[in-house]
């Protein structure tokens, strides 16, 4: 499929978060928050392109987009954008906690989410909300003038892999996140 695969352990806080996600969604049932967070990430990537256009850094012609593609046959939900894309080093950061203090807030919220039913989603779990509904996530990304990479992890795993993608569909620029939905989440494909 591709070449040059690196397997990297998740930051301990991320593994703790992934382990707690099922408990959170069972208690609160607010699984749809994943879509808000992933679209927000894609929108941020488009904003970075707009900023580069305004600064005249690169010739970035073309219409910007975010697409949501449900696939009932493969039980997947895909979000595609043609934003700035990520380098390999940015993909590695998907396995770390995003901001100082976030781990403390997560720990407080995850300790007993039933006492704080709406606080947990305000922690901005971002990308990891995909695991509310997905058993596996594959992110393919290409930052213009860089190589294309794939990031992959299964729910509950202690590591993720990053592979240089040499034969997959060339994105040119942008990111494609494929969520392989849990069996009980097929209803999401209907929208």
């Amino acid at each position: 499929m591709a070449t040059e695969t690196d397997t990297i352990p998740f930051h301990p806080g991320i593994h703790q978060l992934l382990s707690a996600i099922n408990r959170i969604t069972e208690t609160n049932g607010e699984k749809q928050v994943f879509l808000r967070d992933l679209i927000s990430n894609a929108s941020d990537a488009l904003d970075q392109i707009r900023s580069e256009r305004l600064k005249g850094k690169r010739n970035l012609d073309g219409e910007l987009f975010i697409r949501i593609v449900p696939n009932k046959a493969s039980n997947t939900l895909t979000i595609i954008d043609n934003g700035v894309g990520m380098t390999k080093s940015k993909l590695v950061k998907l396995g770390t906690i995003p901001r100082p203090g976030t781990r403390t807030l997560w720990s407080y919220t995850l300790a007993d989410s039933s006492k704080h039913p709406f606080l947990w989603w305000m922690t901005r779990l971002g990308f990891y909300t995909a695991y509310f509904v997905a058993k596996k996530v594959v992110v393919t990304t290409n930052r213009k003038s860089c190589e294309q990479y794939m990031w992959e992890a299964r729910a509950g795993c202690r590591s993720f892999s990053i592979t240089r993608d040499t034969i997959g569909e060339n994105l040119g620029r942008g990111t494609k996140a494929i969520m392989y939905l849990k069996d009980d989440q097929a209803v999401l494909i209907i929208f």
Side-chain angles (χ1 to χ4, degrees):
M1 180 179 202
T3 59
E4 300 178 27
T5 299
D6 295 323
T7 300
I8 303 165
F10 276 115
H11 181 281
I14 294 297
H15 178 69
Q16 177 188 6
L17 172 69
L18 290 174
S19 296
I21 280 179
N22 284 335
R23 183 168 36 95
I24 292 172
T25 54
E26 287 170 7
T27 304
N28 299 299
E30 297 287 333
K31 295 178 183 182
Q32 68 275 13
V33 72
F34 85 96
L35 199 53
R36 176 203 65 191
D37 281 359
L38 295 178
I39 290 171
S40 177
N41 289 350
S43 179
D44 290 347
L46 297 181
D47 286 345
Q48 289 179 41
I49 290 294
R50 287 183 191 98
S51 176
E52 289 184 15
R53 280 181 176 169
L54 291 173
K55 294 176 185 175
K57 285 188 173 181
R58 293 194 263 170
N59 181 9
L60 301 167
D61 293 330
E63 184 178 340
L64 299 177
F65 64 82
I66 298 172
R67 292 189 182 113
I68 301 171
V69 183
N71 185 322
K72 193 171 189 172
S74 62
N75 199 31
T76 60
L77 188 64
T78 303
I79 299 177
I80 307 167
D81 71 69
N82 66 342
V84 70
M86 292 180 274
T87 61
K88 182 179 180 182
S89 63
K90 291 276 187 187
L91 279 178
V92 170
K93 290 181 181 181
L94 283 180
T96 62
I97 292 179
R99 294 182 260 307
T102 302
R103 183 176 185 172
T104 303
L105 184 55
W106 283 353
S107 296
Y108 172 74
T109 305
L110 298 175
D112 188 355
S113 59
S114 63
K115 288 184 180 176
H116 317 286
F118 300 104
L119 181 60
W120 65 269
W121 64 264
M122 294 185 342
T123 61
R124 297 292 297 161
L125 303 175
F127 169 74
Y128 292 100
T129 59
Y131 289 99
F132 287 177
V133 297
K135 56 188 172 189
K136 178 173 96 170
V137 178
V138 176
V139 176
T140 303
T141 188
N142 191 339
R143 187 171 176 99
K144 193 88 169 151
S145 76
C146 292
E147 296 174 322
Q148 183 164 298
Y149 286 93
M150 269 186 335
W151 181 101
E152 180 176 333
R154 293 185 175 276
C157 286
R158 293 188 174 272
S159 62
F160 58 94
S161 65
I162 296 179
T163 305
R164 188 169 147 251
D165 184 8
T166 58
I167 62 170
E169 172 192 359
N170 188 339
L171 298 177
R173 179 190 77 222
T175 301
K176 175 170 66 171
I178 304 172
M179 287 148 286
Y180 292 83
L181 300 175
K182 296 174 183 175
D183 294 337
D184 64 342
Q185 297 303 309
V187 68
L188 292 170
I189 298 177
I190 296 170
F191 74 91

